[in-house]
Amino acid sequence: MDKIGNNDSSNEKLHMEHAEAEQMLDDIAFYRTLIVNVIFIGKEGSEDWVLVDCGVKHYSKRIMEAAEKRFGTNKPKAIILTHGHFDHVGSAKQLAEEWKIPIYIHPMEMDYVTGKRDYPGGDPTVGGGLFSLLSPFFPTHQADLSKYIHPLPTDGSIPFLEDWKMIHTPGHTPGHISLFREKDRALIAGDAFITVKQESSTAVFIQHQHIHGPPAYFTHNWEDAEASVKELASLQPSVVITGHGLPMEGELLNKQLHDLAENFKELAVPKHNRKIH
């Protein structure tokens, strides 16, 4: 038993050593927690920084380690959630408790993160790969964040992020948001669109860069999802970090994003999917 315990400890130590955010801009970095990105907004060493999304469960220590490597002992001012799915809020409660900070989410997501409502289950009929088939087993009931959660302002402002604005981008979930900064057209898109074919486990682990619609197995309002992609494409982002996949920038980003917006039904909407709104 001691040997097993020692191996577990060694594995955890190894994971912690590799917990390091990758910088995209001088004040934006991301860290991949298994299948989803968490994003650090703030310059290295800054006392004023914010965490966007919290990854899956049991990643709080690694997220904190990555944060400490980038910001030292400075804690974030807040956590901003793009939406309440399990792979974006999994470590939120542990992080909020440890850091003693507030969490913000769109008002239309509040019920899902306070125990009042569950998201619809995953839809295995959308096809595309192993993750679609497994999606009915993904958690739809999230941890109750009532002690820490607050609704984002309805005027589009984001607490502690003066240069950024909130864009309501429903479709993947009712209260899904994206974050946009006008001065450099930086976009944090959450799962409004992503840069990997999330339905396929092979694509997720290979991380081939390409713009895709939102994860199909958890998207239940395709009309709203299409409108959200069109709105984000109209912003002409210069760089994007999405919930899943690698960041993209420049001409390739805009070409593929506009192609997705113009041909959304053909490129993103599954031929077979449940009609849940």
Side-chain angles (χ1 to χ4, degrees), residues 169-172 192 214 219-230 264:
T169 47
H172 186 58
T219 300
H220 299 292
N221 190 319
W222 289 101
E223 291 82 4
D224 282 354
E226 180 177 10
S228 294
V229 167
K230 289 181 183 297
F264 189 84

Side-chain angles (χ1 to χ4, degrees), residues 121-166:
D123 182 359
T125 69
V126 298
L130 180 62
F131 282 172
S132 293
L133 294 174
L134 293 176
S135 64
F137 302 100
F138 294 163
T140 56
H141 182 81
Q142 315 311 334
D144 187 353
L145 301 179
S146 300
K147 185 177 178 181
Y148 307 98
I149 201 77
H150 303 273
L152 282 162
T154 56
D155 62 0
S157 62
I158 304 174
F160 307 106
L161 292 176
E162 292 183 3
D163 292 340
W164 293 80
K165 69 175 182 178
M166 175 193 77

Side-chain angles (χ1 to χ4, degrees), residues 10 25 48 67 70 75 81 85 95 103 107 166 169 177 183 186 206 216 239 247-248 255 269 276:
S10 298
L25 299 178
D48 299 307
R70 183 167 176 81
K75 299 177 181 179
L81 297 175
H85 277 157
L95 291 170
I103 306 172
M166 175 193 77
T169 47
I177 67 161
K183 67 179 183 181
I206 293 176
V239 59
M248 290 184 68
K255 181 181 183 302
V269 182
I276 300 176

Side-chain angles (χ1 to χ4, degrees), residues 5-274:
N6 289 336
N7 286 338
D8 289 344
S9 177
S10 298
N11 288 337
E12 181 65 19
K13 184 177 180 181
L14 181 63
H15 288 311
M16 296 289 277
E17 289 175 355
H18 286 85
E20 189 163 352
E22 184 175 340
Q23 184 161 299
M24 189 62 192
L25 299 178
D26 67 342
D27 65 343
I28 303 177
F30 71 100
Y31 171 55
R32 185 183 176 202
T33 64
L34 191 62
I35 60 170
V36 66
N37 299 319
V38 302
I39 299 160
F40 303 95
I41 301 181
K43 292 185 178 180
E44 199 167 352
S46 174
E47 296 181 358
D48 299 307
W49 67 277
V50 166
L51 179 70
V52 179
D53 286 339
C54 295
V56 295
K57 273 187 176 183
H58 309 304
Y59 261 78
S60 58
K61 289 183 179 179
R62 298 182 209 181
I63 293 171
M64 291 175 66
E65 178 69 17
E68 187 173 342
K69 288 176 181 176
R70 183 167 176 81
F71 301 105
T73 58
N74 298 325
K75 299 177 181 179
K77 296 296 184 183
I79 293 168
I80 310 295
L81 297 175
T82 60
H83 60 298
H85 277 157
F86 79 100
D87 51 344
H88 292 255
V89 306
S91 295
K93 189 172 185 177
Q94 292 77 13
L95 291 170
E97 285 177 349
E98 183 67 28
W99 282 328
K100 303 295 188 295
I101 58 171
I103 306 172
Y104 292 90
I105 201 168
H106 190 277
M108 292 179 71
E109 295 288 292
M110 288 288 286
D111 283 357
Y112 297 107
V113 293
T114 53
K116 296 178 181 178
R117 295 181 68 185
D118 291 348
Y119 289 107
D123 182 359
T125 69
V126 298
L130 180 62
F131 282 172
S132 293
L133 294 174
L134 293 176
S135 64
F137 302 100
F138 294 163
T140 56
H141 182 81
Q142 315 311 334
D144 187 353
L145 301 179
S146 300
K147 185 177 178 181
Y148 307 98
I149 201 77
H150 303 273
L152 282 162
T154 56
D155 62 0
S157 62
I158 304 174
F160 307 106
L161 292 176
E162 292 183 3
D163 292 340
W164 293 80
K165 69 175 182 178
M166 175 193 77
I167 303 174
H168 183 205
T169 47
H172 186 58
T173 68
H176 188 285
I177 67 161
S178 301
L179 292 73
F180 184 68
R181 185 165 62 186
E182 180 68 39
K183 67 179 183 181
D184 60 358
R185 306 202 318 282
L187 175 65
I188 296 171
D191 286 0
F193 68 88
I194 55 179
T195 61
V196 67
K197 186 174 177 60
Q198 189 63 23
E199 297 78 23
S200 165
S201 60
T202 302
V204 167
F205 292 116
I206 293 176
Q207 290 287 293
H208 174 65
Q209 237 178 352
H210 196 280
I211 297 287
H212 293 272
Y217 47 79
F218 265 173
T219 300
H220 299 292
N221 190 319
W222 289 101
E223 291 82 4
D224 282 354
E226 180 177 10
S228 294
V229 167
K230 289 181 183 297
E231 180 172 4
L232 295 180
S234 72
L235 298 174
Q236 299 281 341
S238 63
V239 59
V240 65
I241 301 179
T242 61
H244 305 271
L246 297 171
M248 290 184 68
E249 58 185 328
E251 185 178 346
L252 181 62
L253 161 63
N254 275 282
K255 181 181 183 302
Q256 291 188 7
L257 182 54
H258 280 278
D259 188 37
L260 177 64
E262 292 171 7
N263 303 282
F264 189 84
K265 289 181 176 64
E266 293 78 14
L267 296 177
V269 182
K271 291 180 173 61
H272 303 285
N273 65 86
R274 297 178 302 188

